[in-house]
Amino acid sequence: MCYTRLVKLHLGQIEPHAPLLRAPPESQLLYKVMKAEHLIASIASGYLHFNRVDRYSDFPGADPHDGEQLPADLAANQAAAIGSERHWTLADYYEQARARTYACCFSLENSKHIWADYAVGAAYGKVCVVFAFGKLKQRLNDTLSAGARMVLPNQETADQIFSVNYGMIDYVDRAVFRANHEFMQNPIVYTFLKDAEFAPDQELRISLSALGIGKFVLRDRSELQFGDNLQLGFDFRGAIGDGTISGILAEPGGDNTYLVAELAKLHIGAEGTAVPSPKV
């Protein structure tokens, strides 16, 4: 398999797979439950946290099959060789693409479920950041299209190689559902499919995915290693100012004193917090 330099052909694109995905209306609110200490770290360092989809194991009940090709598609994918590389199949391509795909997850609903199941073990209570979908998408698209650079594991920087996509998760019975019919799937389809057991999440996902074919080589000729997570630059203060973030909800019973004090240190007023009223 050939090694690929970070040339323009392989740089990231803005919503290249939008026609394959379902997006909510621009006015949709998104809810992201986090540990209060993680929110403070994200604001202070200016990033949104993305997990590699095949490495979700940081909380109980995480989906071990996130982004994975479906069992009903596997045999056909394994039988489909790519080009002259008879030992390298479509199934291998999907696995490599999965290992180069990251996700940041939100819920379409402020539900009791997300408050109960996410940010478990928070030292200072949970918080829920409320985003306006349309404004969040525009802010991230602007960031990524403005020649953004990515920070590599060795602290070098490189051209932005990740394509960004937005979509609601489709919940299916993974044991029997088949995505392949007349045509094989773009790997992005698997990124936005999950088993029906996760339907209470009502997830809206932002994905960052690099090309699943070839290899990326750094200046020292070593191969780029895709870590377990990445941080995408995000200006929380600016997002609060322009309405991209419409509120920060504090968990009832959480250490709101900590939250308010830490936000104040970051020049974010207490008026940005409130106690939520989750839906049943």
Side-chain angles (χ1 to χ4, degrees):
M1 187 175 303
C2 66
Y3 280 72
T4 306
R5 287 188 177 277
L6 304 186
V7 297
K8 288 186 178 180
L9 176 63
H10 304 296
L11 297 187
Q13 301 176 58
I14 305 300
E15 301 186 72
H17 304 120
L20 301 177
L21 304 173
R22 295 186 305 117
E26 300 283 295
S27 59
Q28 174 72 47
L29 294 180
L30 306 177
Y31 303 90
K32 187 170 184 64
V33 171
M34 308 169 62
K35 296 178 181 181
E37 56 269 31
H38 286 177
L39 172 63
I40 297 303
S42 295
I43 297 173
S45 297
Y47 65 83
L48 280 181
H49 182 86
F50 285 72
N51 279 322
R52 208 172 98 175
V53 296
D54 64 342
R55 298 288 177 86
Y56 269 108
S57 60
D58 58 343
F59 60 91
D63 182 6
H65 302 293
D66 197 309
E68 189 174 44
Q69 57 196 305
L70 297 166
D73 291 340
L74 184 58
N77 293 344
Q78 290 174 329
I82 295 182
S84 60
E85 298 279 351
R86 302 302 302 176
H87 66 282
W88 208 71
T89 68
L90 193 60
D92 297 317
Y93 164 60
Y94 286 137
E95 283 303 298
Q96 184 156 281
R98 183 186 181 212
R100 297 175 177 184
T101 299
Y102 297 80
C104 185
C105 305
F106 308 78
S107 179
L108 298 169
E109 297 182 354
N110 180 19
S111 65
K112 286 185 176 180
H113 167 74
I114 63 172
W115 283 95
D117 282 25
Y118 288 90
V120 175
Y124 296 99
K126 303 178 182 183
V127 296
C128 178
V129 185
V130 184
F131 295 85
F133 170 63
K135 291 183 177 181
L136 175 61
K137 182 175 69 169
Q138 188 61 57
R139 177 174 278 271
L140 295 183
N141 287 354
D142 289 347
T143 297
L144 291 167
S145 62
R149 305 281 287 176
M150 61 174 286
V151 180
L152 304 175
N154 64 359
Q155 299 307 304
E156 279 193 89
T157 61
D159 292 325
Q160 204 292 101
I161 62 173
F162 293 100
S163 290
V164 63
N165 284 285
Y166 308 82
M168 296 183 290
I169 293 294
D170 287 318
Y171 297 98
V172 301
D173 184 345
R174 284 196 85 258
V176 299
F177 186 80
R178 183 179 178 187
N180 289 341
H181 293 287
E182 183 179 358
F183 301 105
M184 300 301 196
Q185 295 300 311
N186 185 295
I188 200 68
V189 171
Y190 292 130
T191 304
F192 287 83
L193 284 177
K194 298 190 78 169
D195 191 80
E197 71 171 293
F198 297 99
D201 291 349
Q202 289 300 294
E203 182 181 338
L204 180 287
R205 167 168 290 195
I206 303 173
S207 69
L208 293 172
S209 53
L211 188 71
I213 295 177
K215 297 183 180 180
F216 295 93
V217 174
L218 305 177
R219 294 182 183 88
D220 63 4
R221 304 297 297 168
S222 64
E223 182 183 342
L224 170 60
Q225 302 299 313
F226 291 84
D228 290 355
N229 52 67
L230 62 80
Q231 297 173 352
L232 177 63
F234 187 78
D235 178 4
F236 276 84
R237 295 183 192 86
I240 291 171
D242 70 9
T244 298
I245 293 175
S246 62
I248 300 173
L249 310 178
E251 178 188 28
D255 188 349
N256 294 350
T257 301
Y258 164 86
L259 177 62
V260 171
E262 293 301 312
L263 287 174
K265 293 176 185 177
L266 296 167
H267 308 291
I268 298 174
E271 66 275 7
T273 66
V275 177
S277 300
K279 294 195 294 184
V280 176

